[in-house]
Amino acid sequence: MIPDRLLQALFAIMSFLVSSDCLAQPGFQYARTERGLMFVGPLDSSSVEVIRTELGVNDQLIIKSSGGERYAASQLARVLVERNSTLIINSDCFSACALYLALSATRTEIPLGATLLFHNDTAMWIEALEQRPDLFSDFERQTIFQAHQDLESLLLERGINPLILSCMSAAIDPQFELARRARPWERQAGSDIGVIIPTTFDWVWMSRDVLEQFGAVNIEMSWGLDRSARETYSELRGMSIAWIDSLAQC
């Protein structure tokens, strides 16, 4: 039997209890509570517009999100900065949620059981353009350059070294020589890039120490998983994760 403490570490709350004021929209839910604005769902133009409308100045956004659209997440990141918002992760903050929101919020809290995982950073795509320029259309090249420039600008504004993106890219170990054009049925919904790049890992977790060395001092993480617990977490969640505890792993 798995000890209760390990269960707490492995499983975050997969949904939260909200009052009758909870409002559901296609694909996401949100509610105003005493703690702040609670949100569950993907980040897209519709959900971000709701958050923009509901989130106050010096407010708390309590979020559970697997990610979403890069542009929408970038716009919400600007809102968090402008309104001096605190981001509290409720279970999961993955991909665009981690890359844009967690790194840009005035303060990001990762309580016991919550997990911050990075995915699909722009540095990997910049390197892919250099390694395999033949695979990309002019539109895709422009999209990648613009996304990378926007993200670097956001990070610099928050005092974070953009090299954190290169660390993420190195950690997942992209196999550029095996990159290829995606078949129509392989393309993810909403994706601007029709190229598949095999990687050793799909996700990146960074320790608080590593995050702080890159300048992400806004992130408060008071817990972690040991090696055995990490393996169990990855297996149970069906996720291939690169666990980065030091800069030497970048």
Side-chain angles (χ1 to χ4, degrees):
M1 177 176 286
I2 301 176
D4 290 342
R5 290 185 62 188
L6 181 54
L7 284 174
Q8 284 184 316
L10 293 178
F11 298 106
I13 302 172
M14 299 309 294
S15 62
F16 51 73
L17 297 177
V18 293
S19 68
S20 59
D21 294 328
C22 177
L23 299 176
Q25 297 288 340
F28 65 91
Q29 289 183 319
Y30 67 98
R32 168 58 62 181
T33 73
E34 293 181 357
R35 296 180 61 199
L37 179 64
M38 304 187 81
F39 173 86
V40 174
L43 302 171
D44 56 27
S45 58
S46 297
S47 62
V48 166
E49 183 57 35
V50 167
I51 297 173
R52 185 200 303 270
T53 301
E54 298 291 331
L55 191 67
V57 177
N58 301 320
D59 206 349
Q60 293 191 145
L61 175 60
I62 305 155
I63 192 169
K64 170 181 166 57
S65 177
S66 60
E69 298 173 5
R70 180 184 62 252
Y71 179 75
S74 176
Q75 294 299 301
L76 181 54
R78 300 288 181 185
V79 173
L80 296 183
V81 172
E82 293 169 1
R83 301 185 187 178
N84 194 38
S85 303
T86 294
L87 187 75
I88 301 176
I89 298 174
N90 173 48
S91 178
D92 305 334
C93 180
F94 297 165
S95 196
C97 177
L99 199 58
Y100 290 89
L101 307 192
L103 292 180
S104 62
T106 301
R107 179 183 178 190
T108 296
E109 298 180 11
I110 307 176
L112 179 65
T115 309
L116 182 71
L117 293 178
F118 299 96
H119 172 69
N120 205 18
D121 69 276
T122 57
M124 181 191 74
W125 291 104
I126 289 293
E127 187 173 357
L129 287 178
E130 298 173 354
Q131 297 282 343
R132 298 295 306 275
D134 56 301
L135 290 178
F136 297 89
S137 67
D138 290 339
F139 171 78
E140 289 171 329
R141 293 188 188 95
Q142 182 179 1
T143 298
I144 291 170
F145 279 125
Q146 186 62 57
H148 188 60
Q149 184 179 43
D150 290 346
L151 184 53
E152 280 194 325
S153 176
L154 178 63
L155 294 178
L156 287 171
E157 289 175 19
R158 306 308 294 159
I160 299 174
N161 189 335
L163 287 177
I164 193 173
L165 303 176
S166 298
C167 179
M168 295 174 191
S169 178
I172 62 174
D173 188 27
Q175 311 297 310
F176 296 114
E177 69 278 6
L178 300 178
R180 61 177 175 82
R181 292 295 302 181
R183 299 177 180 89
W185 59 87
E186 294 176 318
R187 294 194 62 163
Q188 295 183 349
S191 175
D192 297 325
I193 311 300
V195 175
I196 292 177
I197 302 175
T199 58
T200 301
F201 298 98
D202 295 323
W203 302 91
V204 177
W205 177 91
M206 290 183 165
S207 69
R208 182 175 182 177
D209 181 60
V210 170
L211 289 167
E212 287 183 347
Q213 290 188 64
F214 281 111
V217 296
N218 64 314
I219 298 179
E220 298 186 7
M221 184 193 310
S222 58
W223 76 289
L225 297 175
D226 60 25
R227 181 175 179 178
S228 176
R230 290 177 179 184
E231 292 175 355
T232 304
Y233 179 90
S234 298
E235 181 178 352
L236 292 177
R237 295 297 297 268
M239 305 174 81
S240 177
I241 304 171
W243 303 88
I244 306 302
D245 293 295
S246 70
L247 292 181
Q249 297 173 265
C250 292

